[in-house]
Every structure is written in C-alpha cells, then in structure tokens.
C-alpha cells in the first residue's frame, strides 16, 4: 500500500510542467487583480475549501503545505478568507521554504510561526480581536520544494452558535460569504466532512450541492477516518456510493489535538497516516483515494485541467477588458510634465467645460431624442410647472363663507354701521398674495438644481484623468451658483412684498366695487327659488328712482350693525340714509371705499346718528326705577353671526369677486417677474461669468 501512495514531491514529477505553467499564470493574474481591485469583473480559477467548524480544514491545509502555519483555538480559527498560493520551487541544498504576504510586499517569512502570528494580527486588524468575521481577503504565497502548485481559498468554518463579537446571524453571514465564492463556475469546491458525522447532513456537501448541483466541480474530503466507531469504515463513502461526486473523494487522517499539543510534526503524521491505510484491509484498492499526498496530486491535476478548460473563455474576457481599458486610457491623453504644459491643459479643460455648459443652456449641444435637457428643462420648469401651477390656484379655494363672514364682521368697527368691502378685501387679498412666495422660491430652487445637473452633465472627458480637479470644480460651481441663488430669493421676496404693500385698486383690469356689487346682486337674485312679494315691490319702486338714488340704496343694502346682525329695512327710513354725509377726511388715504366704488367715503358718524334722534321721553331718576337692568358678560370667544340673509350673501360674493379679480392681476405679474428675476440673478449671472 505504501508503494501506491506517492509523496507530494514525487507526485510533482509528472504534473510539474502543467502545474507550473497555467497555475502560476493564474496566480500572477490573481495578484494583479487583487492590487487593482478587479476581482468582481473576472472570476479566476481557484479551489475553495469549505467545511463546518472543527471539520479538520486547517489540518488538511497544513498537511498540504507540510508545515504548521495556521492559527489554532477552541473556537472559530479562520475568520477571514485566506487565499493560499502554493508555489513549487527547485530543491536546493538548504531546502529553503518561506512565505510572502501581499499586504507586506518584499518581506519574506522563513519562520512559519511568524506567518501564523501575522495571519492572526492581520485578522484582528480587520475583524477585531474577539472572534469577529470579515470577508476581506488575506493573500499568502508559500514557496517550497515540497509542495505542488495549487491555489486554495480557506473560508471561515460554518458555525451555529455566535461567540464573542459575532452577530446573532453569524451562520447566515458565513454561508453567504462561502456561496459568493463557490457559486462561480470557475471555482472548484473542496468539501471537507469528518468521517464521524452523517455525510447526508454535511454542511459542506449541502452548500456544494446548491452551488454545483451536478457535482462537476466538487471534490469530497473525508477527514478523521481513524476515530470512526469500531466496526465502521468509510469505504462506501470514498467510493461515492452514499453521495456521488464526479470528481470523487479522498480520505485523510489528521493529527489529533493531542498530537498538536505535543508538537508532533506533520512529517510524522504523514507516516502514521500511511501506516493507518496499510494496516486497514478495507481500504485496499483505494490507493488513489487515501492520504494527503494523493489529495495534493489530485488537486494539482484537477486544477490544471480546470484552468485549461476555462482558459479560452478567460482569455476572451481579459481581451475584452483590455480593449475597454486601452480605449479609456487613450481618452485621457498624454502625460504633461512641464508647468507650462499643465497650465495650458488646465485652461483647455476649463474652456471646453464653459463651451459645453453654454451649449447645453442654449440648446446647441447634441440633441437627445429621448428626453429634454439643458435650457429646455429650464423653460419647462418656468412654463409647465411654475406658471401652470399658479394658474390652477383659486384664491378662494381655502376660504369658506364663514372665513369671509368673519373678516367682514371684524371689519365693521364700533364707529361704523356700514359694510365696507375694502377692509376685508385688503386683509384677505394680502393673505392670498403671500401664498405666492413659497412656489416662487421653490421655482428658484428648481432652477438652481437644474444648473447643478447641467454642470455635472457637461463635464469633459479630460476631467476623468483628474478626479481631484473635478471634485474641486464641483465645489466651486456649487458655491458660485449658491451666490446667485441668494439674491434671486431676496428679489423674489421683495416682489411679493411689493405686491402686498400696495393694493392697486385703480388697475384698469380690476373689476371694481360697483361692478362686483352688480354681478353679486344678479347672482344672488338668480339663485333664489322664491322672492317675497314685498321685496319684489321694493325692487320695482327702486328701479323707478334716479341713478343717484339707486347708488345710495345699493349702499344702504350693505348697512350693518356692529354686532353683525342685519337690521330690519322698516326700522330705518329712507330719510335716515339720505342724511349720511361724506366724511371730512378727503385728503387721507385713497384706499377708502371710493377706491373700489368710485365715489366719496360716505359714512355716518356715531355722534351725528345720536344727535339726529329726538328725545321724546323724559329721563327718570334711579329712585323711580323699579329694578336694575343687568347685562350679561360677553363670551371670551365671540363667533361671527351665522345668519344667511340675502345681504350677507351679496357681501360674501362681492368679496370673492374682488379677491379673484385682483389676485389674477397679481398672479400675472408674478408669472412674468419671477422667471425674469431668476434668469437675471441666477442663470445669466452664472452664464455671463463663464
């Protein structure tokens, strides 16, 4: 049996030419891709070692190397993927063996205990010192005449119970990490399973079955054959009669924990393994499936054949990537060493950027057939978003009749019994004008964001060579545009304030109070279902009067008491209305009732009203009174009158007509002036500066 089990060095004689050519080539590619970070674009052939915790993975890897170099412990040992490249060197008299880490280029580790300490230290640097796990690789290359050319990836063992700083879902995370390696078609799977466990429940074979359902890429390794129950053996397992694998199984005998504690060498362990298989007749005829030397030989041959099979596709992918990279490299232009050349290059880049920005803003760039861009988007924001949104707003949509009634009754102060539409109109229209501020500021912000997008889109190709310059340009452009946004927003606020500060009721497009009253009366009259006969008669008599009398009576309709209750028409005689005299304050503000109705400010003062009433009854003394008359306290919150008289309906309709008319005037001003302000202070401010 011993003659049938060659050592790794003996096995290398037949396979060294193939292994040293294609495997070393893939190793060099792996080193290059690891440095440039291109592992995700091209998957290179490799062997991933998968197994549960304490399955014997580490012992198998150390047996393949022939040296102790992996961290040991009672808990999880492999906490980061270890990419192990075994490189066979020519045998020398000094039998030189050493290791190199990719993260420590140029440093050779001749003492393998130092390799173990560096793996542990590098693991702690990334995953922490309390059993944490990371998916960042550690790359180790071992040069020795006693190994075969093989590339292995030692993955963390599958664990069930978290320990230390491990998260509660540690099993799911490790399974996800393992699957990210073994799911690629270029990866061979070395599934390690202990012989003293049920093969059907093997975590390694279960995951391999998911990633490689046909078993074309999976090699089974059965460990711990020496501690199987008495009367049992692994012959059927190694023959593939339990779970068949196309690449077969290999059985090995690891060093026990006691062997490790007494520092039993791997060389002695390999001799003991050979004796184990020689002294077990059940394993006769399975020479190529027993022992670490046979595993090394099989891995070397299968990996070389696998690389040969995937090499054409790998070469095609590398060639495609090379063409794309060469094209990108050519687009960066030549390297300029001189200061003058660098200055000219910078000026050229900035000039191209300015030209590109101007072309996009003016619509002179390459037209897209799928979407609007540049200046077309700015025009769309002004006309289709800003203007259209304002036109869809009804100034009375958020005002209920109760809101207007409250404003009207609040406008009827203690010195007046007349409804003056201008007072509630001015209060309400200012409130509606103030609503135009937010969409105007939002429009400016939209244009600012659009200019930022244009600046990003017109970045010239040469800037890809200089990422720091591009980042700095983004910062400068952003600051510059913000400098233009601030005066734009200030101007917008001033425009809205100007509209609120001066309510121009003399505007030729303003409907006016008389016209509004006439329309309101017609609307109210047409909406009535039945008109009392007495009111029809009054209306007929009113039509017979003169034009001046009709004007006075139309204003008398709006007469109100201070508490908001409409007085009975029979209480006040026509002569009382005719006694209303103009106020003497003719030189005051032009915002009085005349500014809406076109006439003088006709209000009866409270003093004149009192003096005009005769005192027919004598005043009685307090002693003659029978009892005191007590007034009830006014409520803390006084609600407006809820009466729905014809007069109130006219008042509310008049107010709405005035609001809609004047709001339409202001809206047109805003629709015209806001885009102009934004163009002047923001867009053209930046455009001219270019």
């Amino acid at each position: 049996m011993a003659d049938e089990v060659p050592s790794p060095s003996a096995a290398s004689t037949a396979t060294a030419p193939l292994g040293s050519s294609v495997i070393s080539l893939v190793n060099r590619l792996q080193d290059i891709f690891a440095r440039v970070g291109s592992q995700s674009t091209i998957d290179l052939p490799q062997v991933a070692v998968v197994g549960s915790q304490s399955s014997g993975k580490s012992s198998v890897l150390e047996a393949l190397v022939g040296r102790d170099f992996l961290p040991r412990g009672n808990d999880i040992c492999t906490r980061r993927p270890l990419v192990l490249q075994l490189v066979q060197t020519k045998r020398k008299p000094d039998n030189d063996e050493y290791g190199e880490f990719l993260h420590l280029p140029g440093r050779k580790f001749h003492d393998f205990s130092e390799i173990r300490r560096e793996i542990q230290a590098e693991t702690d640097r990334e995953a922490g010192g309390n059993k944490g796990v990371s998916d960042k690789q550690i790359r180790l290359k071992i040069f020795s005449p006693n190994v075969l050319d093989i590339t292995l990836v030692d993955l963390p063992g599958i664990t069930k119970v978290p320990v230390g700083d491990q998260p509660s879902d540690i099993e799911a995370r490790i399974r996800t990490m393992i699957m990210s390696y073994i799911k690629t078609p270029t990866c061979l799977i070395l599934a390690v399973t202990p012989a003293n466990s049920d093969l059907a429940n093997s975590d390694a074979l279960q995951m391999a079955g998911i990633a490689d359902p046909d078993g074309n890429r999976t090699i089974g390794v059965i460990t711990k054959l020496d501690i199987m129950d008495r009367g049992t053996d692994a012959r059927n397992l190694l023959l593939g009669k339990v779970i068949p694998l196309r690449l077969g199984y290999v059985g090995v005998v690891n060093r026990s924990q006691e062997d490790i504690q007494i520092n039993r060498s791997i060389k002695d362990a390999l001799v003991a393994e050979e004796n184990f298989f020689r002294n077990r007749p059940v394993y006769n005829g399975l020479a190529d499936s027993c022992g670490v030397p046979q595993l090394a030989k099989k891995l070397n041959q299968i990996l070389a054949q696998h690389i040969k099979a995937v090499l054409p596709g790998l070469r095609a992918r590398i060639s495609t990537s090379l063409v794309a990279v060469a094209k990108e490299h050519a687009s960066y232009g030549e390297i300029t060493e001189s200061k003058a050349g660098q200055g000219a290059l910078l000026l050229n880049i900035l000039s191209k950027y300015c030209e590109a920005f101007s072309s996009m803003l003016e619509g002179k760039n390459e037209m897209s057939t799928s979407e609007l861009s540049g200046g077309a988007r700015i025009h769309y924001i002004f006309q289709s978003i800003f203007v259209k949104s304002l036109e869809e707003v009804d100034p009375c949509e958020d005002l209920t009749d109760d809101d207007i009634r409250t404003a009207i009754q609040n406008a009827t102060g203690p010195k007046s019994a007349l409804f003056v539409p201008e007072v509630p109109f001015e209060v309400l229209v200012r409130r509606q004008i103030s609503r135009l501020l937010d969409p105007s500021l939002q429009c400016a912000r939209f244009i600012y964001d659009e200019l930022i997008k244009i600046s990003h889109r017109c970045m010239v190709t040469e800037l890809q060579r200089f990422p720091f310059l591009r980042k700095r340009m983004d910062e400068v452009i952003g600051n510059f545009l913000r400098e233009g946004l601030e005066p734009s927003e200030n101007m917008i606020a001033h425009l809205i304030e100007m509209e609120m500060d001066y309510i121009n009721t003399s505007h030729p497009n303003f409907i006016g109070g008389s016209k509004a009253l006439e329309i309101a009366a017609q609307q109210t009259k047409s909406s009535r279902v039945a008109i009392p006969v007495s009111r029809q008669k009054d209306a007929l008599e009113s039509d017979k009067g003169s034009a001046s009398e009709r004007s006075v009576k139309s204003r008398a309709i709006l007469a109100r008491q201070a508490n908001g209750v409409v007085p009975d028409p029979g209480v006040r005689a026509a002569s009382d209305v005719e006694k209303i005299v103009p106020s003497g304050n003719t030189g005051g503000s032009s915002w009085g009732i005349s500014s809406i109705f076109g006439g003088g400010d006709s209000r009866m003062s409270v003093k004149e009203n009192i003096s005009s009433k005769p005192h027919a009854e004598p005043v009685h003394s307090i002693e003659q009174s029978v009892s005191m008359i007590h007034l009830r306290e006014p409520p803390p919150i006084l609600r407006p009158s809820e009466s729905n008289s014809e007069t109130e309906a006219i008042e509310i309709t008049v107010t709405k007509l005035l609001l809609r008319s004047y709001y339409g005037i202001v809206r047109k001003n805003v629709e015209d002036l806001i885009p102009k302000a934004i163009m002047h202070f923001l867009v053209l401010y930046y455009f001219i500066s270019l």
Side-chain angles (χ1 to χ4, degrees), residues 5 94 574 588 604 606 662 673:
V5 183
D94 57 357
M604 177 187 291
V606 177
Y662 195 78
L673 293 176

Side-chain angles (χ1 to χ4, degrees), residues 164-276:
D165 291 336
Q166 294 175 1
S168 58
D169 60 342
I170 182 64
E171 181 182 2
R173 293 193 182 191
I174 292 178
R175 286 181 179 272
T176 302
M177 184 193 307
I178 293 174
M179 192 59 67
S180 67
Y181 282 86
I182 66 176
K183 69 180 180 180
T184 59
T186 58
C187 179
L188 295 175
I189 305 171
L190 193 66
V192 180
T193 303
N196 58 347
S197 65
D198 187 0
L199 199 67
N201 296 326
S202 169
D203 291 325
L205 290 176
Q206 181 186 23
M207 295 195 67
I210 297 174
D212 179 30
D214 296 330
N216 296 327
R217 299 185 286 113
T218 304
I219 305 171
V221 177
I222 309 299
T223 63
K224 304 182 181 181
L225 295 176
D226 55 329
I227 60 174
M228 294 182 68
D229 293 338
R230 288 181 178 273
T232 61
D233 59 72
R235 183 178 181 87
N236 289 336
L237 302 180
L238 297 176
L239 292 174
K241 293 182 178 181
V242 179
I243 298 178
L245 294 176
R246 185 162 300 182
L247 297 180
Y249 291 84
V250 176
V252 298
V253 176
N254 299 331
R255 288 184 300 170
S256 65
Q257 189 64 32
E258 181 182 2
D259 293 336
I260 295 174
Q261 291 175 353
I262 64 175
N263 293 325
R264 186 182 187 184
S265 68
I266 294 179
K267 182 178 180 181
D268 293 339
L270 291 176
V271 174
E273 180 189 52
E274 182 180 353
N275 292 331
F276 173 84

Side-chain angles (χ1 to χ4, degrees), residues 443-474:
C443 179
R445 177 63 61 172
F446 284 166
I447 300 302
Y448 166 80
D449 293 339
E450 202 59 41
L451 292 175
I452 292 292
K453 293 178 183 178
I454 293 175
S455 67
H456 289 165
R457 289 183 178 181
C458 68
M459 287 297 182
V460 294
T461 307
E462 287 81 353
L463 278 175
Q464 297 179 9
R465 298 174 59 187
F466 310 104
F468 292 104
L469 174 61
R470 179 167 185 169
K471 181 180 179 181
R472 182 56 181 159
M473 284 184 64
D474 288 340

Side-chain angles (χ1 to χ4, degrees), residues 409-529:
Q409 294 181 16
N410 282 333
T412 308
K415 293 185 178 182
S416 174
L418 286 177
F419 160 60
V420 183
E422 181 183 71
V423 178
F425 159 71
E426 289 187 0
V427 172
L428 295 175
V429 80
R430 282 192 175 92
R431 192 174 83 176
Q432 299 306 313
I433 293 174
S434 66
R435 295 176 59 197
L436 297 172
L437 178 60
D438 287 339
S440 300
L441 294 176
Q442 193 175 12
C443 179
R445 177 63 61 172
F446 284 166
I447 300 302
Y448 166 80
D449 293 339
E450 202 59 41
L451 292 175
I452 292 292
K453 293 178 183 178
I454 293 175
S455 67
H456 289 165
R457 289 183 178 181
C458 68
M459 287 297 182
V460 294
T461 307
E462 287 81 353
L463 278 175
Q464 297 179 9
R465 298 174 59 187
F466 310 104
F468 292 104
L469 174 61
R470 179 167 185 169
K471 181 180 179 181
R472 182 56 181 159
M473 284 184 64
D474 288 340
E475 294 175 357
V476 172
I477 292 168
N479 294 334
F480 194 78
L481 289 174
R482 278 191 291 273
E483 292 177 0
L485 179 62
E486 183 178 354
S488 300
E489 293 178 339
N490 291 337
M491 186 61 186
I492 290 171
H494 289 327
L495 289 174
I496 302 301
E497 290 173 358
M498 289 162 54
E499 294 289 350
M500 294 172 61
D501 290 342
Y502 178 61
I503 307 301
N504 183 17
T505 55
S506 299
H507 195 281
N509 295 334
F510 185 54
I511 188 173
S514 300
K515 183 66 174 177
L517 185 60
E518 180 181 348
I519 296 174
Q522 292 176 356
Q523 292 178 355
T524 304
K525 183 177 179 181
S526 61
S527 64
R528 287 182 299 178
V529 178

Side-chain angles (χ1 to χ4, degrees), residues 351-384:
S351 299
K352 287 185 176 180
Y353 165 78
C354 294
E355 292 175 1
F357 189 94
S358 302
S359 297
M360 289 195 69
L361 201 60
E362 296 177 346
K364 297 179 180 178
N365 60 318
E366 296 181 2
M367 298 297 178
S368 173
T369 58
S370 59
E371 62 175 346
L372 297 179
S373 62
R377 289 181 61 89
I378 293 178
H379 181 268
Y380 178 85
I381 292 173
F382 282 146
Q383 300 302 320
S384 299

